[in-house]
Amino acid sequence: MVQLFCPSPSWDVDDFNTCVRERYFHFWLPILIVLVSVVHLILSSTVRLPGFLRRRWFNKGYTQLPTDASPIDDSDEENLDPIYRLRTTDAGAEYDEIVENAHDRDVEDDALDIAPRTRVAATNNTSANGSADRSPTLVLNATPARRLRSVLEQVVAIALTVVHVLTLGGIILVEYPPYYSERVQLVHFSIASSILSAYILALSTMRLSPSVRYNSPYLRVHVALFYAFVWLISIVNFRSALVHSSRQFVTYLCTFDFLSYSVLVVLGVLSPLHDRPAYLETVDGLKPNPVPYVSIWETITFSWADKLLKLGYSRPLTMDDVWDLKDDCRSALLMPGYRLAKNGGTMLYGLIKYFRFRLIYGFCFSVMYAIFTFTPTILVRQILRHLEDPSREPNHMAWLYVFLLLAFAFVNATCSAQALWTFREVCVRTRAVIVAELYSKALKRKVAVNVPDSAEAAAAKAKLKAKEDAKEGNNAGKKKEKIEDETIDLGRVINLMAVDAFSIAEVLARLNPLIKGTMMIFISMVLLYQTLGPSAIAGSLGMLTLLPINYKFSRTFGKIQKELLSITDRRIQKTNEILQSIKIIKFFAWEDRFRDQLQEVRNEEIKTLRKRFLILAFAAMVWFGFPTIITFITFGFYTMIAKKELTASVAFSSLSLFNLMRTPMDRLAEMITNVIEARTSVERVQKFLDEEETQKYIQLSKTRRSHGDPLIGFRDASFAWGAGQTNFDFKLQNVDITFEPGKLSVIVGPTGAGKSSLLMALLGEMNILKGKVFLPGSSLLEQPAQNKTTGLVESVAYCAQQPWLLNDTIRENILFGNKYNEARYKQVVQLCALLRDFQILEAGDQTLVGEKGISLSGGQKQRISLARALYSTARHLILDDCLSAVDSHTALYLYENCITGPLMKDRTCILVSHNVALTLTLADHVVVLENGRIVAQGVPADIVASGILGSDELLINSIQNSREVSRVPSAVNVADKDAIQVAAPPPTEQQDSKEVTQKPKKKANEELQQVGMVKLGVYVSYIKSMGKSRYWTLVFVAFVLHQAAAISQNWWVRVWSAAISSVESLISMKSMSVASAAAITTVGNNFTSSASGLFEYAPEAGVRNVVGPLIHVGEPTSYFSTAEYVDHIQDSAKGPEYYLAVYGLIAIVYIVLSFLREALFYLGSLSASKSLFDKLLNTIMRAKPRFFDSTPVGRIINRFSKDVESIDREVAVDALSFVHSILSVCVIIGVISVIVPGFLLIGVVISIIFFLINLFYLQSSRELKRMQSVTRSPIYQHFGETLVGISTIRAYGYEQRFIADSMHKVDTNSRPYWIMWALNRWMCYRTDLSGGLVSFFAGVFVLMSRNSIDSGLAGLILTYAISFTENMFWVVLLYATNEMNMNSVERIDEFLAIEQEAPDIIPDNRPPRNWPSNGAISVTDLSLRYAPELPRVIKGISFDVEPCSKIGIVGRTGAGKSTIASAFFRFLEADTGKIVIDGIDISAIGLRDLRQGLTIIPQDPTLFTGTVRSNLDPFSNYSDNEIFTALRHVHLIDEIPGEQPEASGSSSAGLTVAEREARDMNVFYRLDSPITEGGGNLSQGQRQLMCLARSLLKSPKIILLDEATASIDYNTDAQIQETIRTEFSRTTILTIAHRLRSIIDYDKILVLDSGLIKEYDHPHVLLQQKDSIFRSMCASSGELEALEEMAKQAYEKLK
């Protein structure tokens, strides 16, 4: 029996001892490996493994397809094997596990995250119309090379088995060798080898079996690892046989084993994990990801990226070249597992639990990398010891150490690459998960969650809280603190996704430095103790003092980081608000003032960045200086206290260890900083995820219906936008309504009555205080059933008052994810009066609507929104004032053909409208609201008869005319319409529907992407932004001095150790004879003086130059004995105090220079950040309005968020590290080449290798970085669109589809990001290997030059050589990183070149200060076009406007009405002609002078976050009384607070309780009442009135009203028009209106059609013309008689 244990020591000079070789390597280790393999395979096949391993290994593999099901058309005769589908992940099993555990969770709550439809839609990449494109791609085929590998593997396994079995038999039969003990040992070796080879034959046979069962990638990896371990054993046996060969037969046998196992290892690692012919399914025909089917060797070395790199080198890469993601990186397949892991916990807990196995896997490689990192240091120590005492061991051991430097370079590169790649993949997946979480949460947010408290409400809540605290007393502190809700607006949410999600994911990618650094510091201390003994403890204690310093830095940095993120939030929010409101800002010439507001926030951010950089500079001083200080303490203790001599092997081994500690300490501190940043981001994201969610699904899905409860409606319900605890929260009170299914219900009431709020309450978007609300189709988990007869679904379609459109084509906005039905689509387009628009628009229904539909008119947007609701299959339609944005005749057409038309048969319609006279004609039920209460409800006739709606004659007549039309006859009318399909539209709109689809699709304005290298001009612009020549001179000097100080430290240690070695060698000469002393005298004379005294050497003396500095020429002649001479040398030699003091002085200089270098560079970075941001902001603010029409806000925000953040925080840090690393590399090559000139040639060759690696890498990574930046913008855009249209999305029940769309965009962005980092690993792996060549050749030259250099110089060379790999790695990596960072500068530079508007002021041509003083307007031959390449939209029109005239501008949609209005503000420059105001051509003056002289109330009301006062008077130019007066003019208030009743025209005395309560709820009586982002806490009508009041405050001479009262009820509109007539009688007014009543008494009417003036005269005159277009419009409105009478009265009054 073979004994188990061997005596120590195991190592015997140059090899393992005989016992270890024979017992362990010849017998026990092979047997043990076989046993471990067998046990593992048995357990894997019989025992149920944990879910991770089950999913990771056993669920991967093949699914054989039937022959007729193969998607591959294979005509290759060689490929006769069956085709298999290659499965790379098993999301299905993971999802099934979630479903199994669903009973333990709130399924409804998580429905947005794990609903099956979401997962399938995202996995299949469902497009907007519901289609999915997954195409198969053949990735594996039975090639001759693969078959040859299989045959060769079998042959080698058989040969091994035969040889070892025959050897065993021969030994037993022949009894060779003759000695029994040798024969027994050889039998044991042969038995173990026979078992091993037989097992290898069995494994290879099973692996190469045609059965798919044994062809799993798990088995292939197992076999390859088995081969690798056996191969390592064979290497040891092979070397031992060569070094200590006892018998030639054993040498041959070991050689055969080594060669055979080498072949097996090569075959094992080169074979793909999947060897069967198979295909992968990819999305949208993308190229399949190669990782699932590559070989182990390609996985280790990242060689699978070679093809892409070659392609990227030959030409710039495009998105079509980028591979598809692996399935396990897709958002839709990550989310189910994450949700299961999270299981109600925090996001951080869910991430750690879900990725725990991958993190452990990366942790293991990081630990191995940290351990193997020290092998070069240990090997260097052994080489130096050999040089100091060559007799210690044979020369071949020194060469072994050198070759091990190269071998461990490969091991280190592999461990480092795998660790970093594992963590990077976790980063990609984490980012996808966090963005999906944020998006999912955004879809569950409350619509009004951002409504802040008013001052009074806040005070009331504070008092209430104080009372509660007083009641709680001392127990209050024991209770968990409740976090107050904060306003998280659109800008902040985008910042969470853009910055915080990236920060959290990035810290996971950088876990490797944290793990590696911690391990390296620990191992360094252990090795230092072995080298220095107890002196290392002094260094360890010194390191402990770093902990409180780091803690202080971390605390301070964390506070600054939190402050910085908060300020950045404010900046992005303010930027977003400016961009969203850029038109109104330009209309009012407010650019400078809003720029100043944003600059105030930016200045705060720069100030905080300065603090951050100063902290980093101080921290860098500590990080750079601390290893030096520790070295000083350790060497001081070693020489001064321990009284030991600092020899070269000790000194440079210690220095190498200290240098190894320097990088991890540096990276560890940086990692701690990143962790602090990430922790802050985690808290911010978690706070958002913990925000209160909508109660929609609880209200609507979990409400139990009792007998008599309606299908749609309310039962004694009250709602509030806020908490409803104070009188200041708007409430709907005691609502009890039943909306009859299949009927038309109309909701009316004055502006601000709560009509839109009622619809929001019905949709579940308001807080319910009591009662019940009912609405079908509101469950996420239940797919509404479709009625087979009608084709309708029990769901809801919603048309918001302010149309919400996607930045997509018109067709996709109408389809809204539904399948395209050509007949239904054409019918919807015709019923919504869109055919004429498609004829006018350049690309028809393929026109891109732009951000928020910016390229369309208000009427077009509203009709597209209505068409979307009509096209849907929802049975119940909720329409919020959808007729307000269209002209009267179009409103009539829409009401008759759309709202009550054929496609509304059997459908419920709940309509909010101010056009009471029109909408009540065919209504079945009317609800009248006022101040949040139901005033009346019932059939229209009864409501009109009651007088609640007033006594308008048109209204009464319309109701009387409709009394004969009951709902049943109405159905007959509908049937008639069905028979003719649709009622005929006006003649001008009749158009062949085919034109809708025949026009070419207009492509989206895709973001441009630069190609090739980042231009030199980008670097130059950034360098100039940092500082001028004086600044760069200081930076250069600081860098040079810093490197000089670093070199001086190592140089001085070498001098120190060399001096000690020289004295020791002289002391040993005391016993020499007088003749020997004479020889020394000769030696001394042979040394020549030099400037340095270090490297001068007289070859004829034959003595090393290190003695030179200690011997003065001619000095030995004065001595008569060697002993006396040596004693003199000892006395004159410097003690350790001297060397230690100089080293300390150098260390102080080095530390100070470290701080100065960092601080200088960071200050320059701040200067560049400020300069580039200012230029970008100024350029954007001065951009032409057309730029904002064609550029999505998300794309601009991308520059102001991620790109600015990158310039602020990353560019300088990475650039500083790059310069430091490249200087270190130059110093290393320079020092080694000076000492060993022959190394220079090798250095050049290795530098060329590095250059080629970098060249290939940069060509591709640069483009991938650009792709990642470009594909990031759609994520921001989609996120922003979702937050704005969240009510519409939830109403339609399309949350899951939007989640899937978001996931698809994230995956699209992850594709170049994933590949970019894969190429980065490719580059780093080869860089590490090339760096290993430096250490290897340095060792070779040291051994070859052992007779010409001392151990001190050898230590210096090898120490620098070891650090070369690390520094060169950072040079290549940071060069690439800097170029990619400069992509942010490049993208900002790209925006700096956009076309600018005309100057704000032209000093030589400024109008008078009171211009315009009269208001006279003359338009002459005016032509306008949106872009030079586009046709004219206004075609040579001319008209004059008398001073103080009132002009109404009317026309069909697309006629050019709003275009003319924008021309007055020079949003469009005249193509021909001119506009003259009060004798001044507006094109000749500055834009600020022009725009400040005019006033416009645009079609879309724009408000800012703030208060009533800040919105009406942003720059505090007016008094409270003037503001209240403007509010009263627009009837938002009835009286001016503090004014006598007579003065204000009303009285507050004698108000009823209800009236007083209504007044208290009126926010406009308090100028400090808050206004949320975009005026979200006001109704659309109130927002329009606010904008009107803001414009009236200016008391302008010329006012343009562009549908300014479209969302206001008719009574308020009439009152406002009366106010305009009386209060602004001395003002010229141009009004674009759809309500003809508003302008019927104006001085003139301008009728536009297709960019031409068709009519221009007084309304009465135009109405007298029977063929007048204006008359036909009045007739279409149904108010012809009333309008004629009103026009006549105005005309007679004018006369």
Side-chain angles (χ1 to χ4, degrees), residues 723-772:
Q725 296 177 355
T726 70
N727 291 332
F728 306 107
D729 294 327
F730 181 81
K731 304 182 189 72
L732 293 172
Q733 301 182 38
N734 304 320
V735 180
D736 199 306
I737 309 173
T738 298
F739 296 109
E740 292 293 330
K743 307 289 185 181
L744 171 62
S745 300
V746 178
I747 302 171
V748 298
T751 300
K755 302 182 295 297
S756 295
S757 294
L758 184 68
L759 297 187
M760 289 291 101
L762 184 61
L763 292 171
E765 301 293 359
M766 290 185 72
N767 292 329
I768 187 167
L769 305 179
K770 67 170 186 176
K772 298 179 181 178

Side-chain angles (χ1 to χ4, degrees), residues 1581-1598:
Q1582 289 173 323
R1583 292 198 290 270
Q1584 282 195 329
L1585 293 177
M1586 279 273 287
C1587 292
L1588 183 58
R1590 180 169 58 198
S1591 298
L1592 297 184
L1593 264 176
K1594 291 179 64 176
S1595 299
K1597 200 64 183 176
I1598 297 177

Side-chain angles (χ1 to χ4, degrees), residues 850-919:
E851 188 91 12
K852 293 185 178 180
I854 200 166
S855 62
L856 305 175
S857 68
Q860 289 170 329
K861 289 188 287 187
Q862 193 64 270
R863 282 179 285 130
I864 292 171
S865 180
L866 181 61
R868 176 169 60 202
L870 190 64
Y871 184 84
S872 72
T873 57
R875 187 188 173 198
H876 312 289
L877 272 64
I878 298 178
L879 312 177
D880 191 356
D881 203 13
C882 60
L883 301 178
S884 62
V886 298
D887 50 57
S888 56
H889 68 282
T890 305
L892 177 63
Y893 176 81
L894 291 175
Y895 184 72
E896 292 181 345
N897 296 281
C898 179
I899 297 175
T900 61
L903 290 183
M904 289 298 293
K905 183 179 180 181
D906 297 324
R907 300 173 85 172
T908 307
C909 182
I910 302 171
L911 172 67
V912 168
S913 180
H914 289 129
N915 196 339
V916 180
L918 173 63
T919 55

Side-chain angles (χ1 to χ4, degrees), residues 111 114 168 256 261 442 545 610 880 895 1001 1039 1112 1169 1216 1266 1327 1425 1430 1527 1559:
I114 62 170
L168 178 61
F256 174 75
Y261 293 138
T545 61
R610 187 177 292 111
D880 191 356
Y895 184 72
K1001 181 173 181 177
F1039 271 94
H1112 301 283
S1169 294
L1216 182 61
R1266 287 168 174 155
T1327 300
R1425 65 176 85 223
L1430 297 179
L1527 290 172
R1559 172 171 170 167

Side-chain angles (χ1 to χ4, degrees), residues 650-677:
V650 172
F652 285 100
S653 295
S654 301
L655 273 182
S656 179
L657 289 170
F658 283 128
N659 285 334
L660 284 175
M661 287 172 61
R662 185 190 302 271
T663 299
M665 286 182 69
D666 183 10
R667 299 298 168 187
L668 189 61
E670 181 183 341
M671 187 62 205
I672 291 172
T673 302
N674 292 333
V675 168
I676 293 169
E677 292 180 3

Side-chain angles (χ1 to χ4, degrees), residues 587-599:
F587 274 135
F588 284 83
W590 285 344
E591 294 97 331
D592 289 346
R593 297 180 180 183
F594 274 90
R595 184 192 299 115
D596 292 342
Q597 289 181 357
L598 184 55
Q599 281 289 9

Side-chain angles (χ1 to χ4, degrees), residues 125 283-287 289 308 318-326 329-330 421 428 431 1264 1267-1268 1271 1304-1318:
N125 186 26
V283 176
D284 291 338
L286 298 173
K287 295 181 179 179
N289 196 295
L308 189 67
T318 64
M319 278 299 291
D320 292 335
D321 301 319
V322 178
W323 299 316
D324 195 7
L325 280 177
K326 296 191 301 178
C329 288
R330 296 187 191 281
W421 179 237
V428 174
R431 179 171 165 269
L1264 290 168
M1267 291 178 206
Q1268 191 227 342
T1271 55
H1304 175 60
K1305 293 183 187 300
V1306 171
D1307 289 345
T1308 301
N1309 179 246
S1310 295
R1311 282 169 49 209
Y1313 184 74
W1314 183 88
I1315 295 175
M1316 180 181 72
W1317 280 104

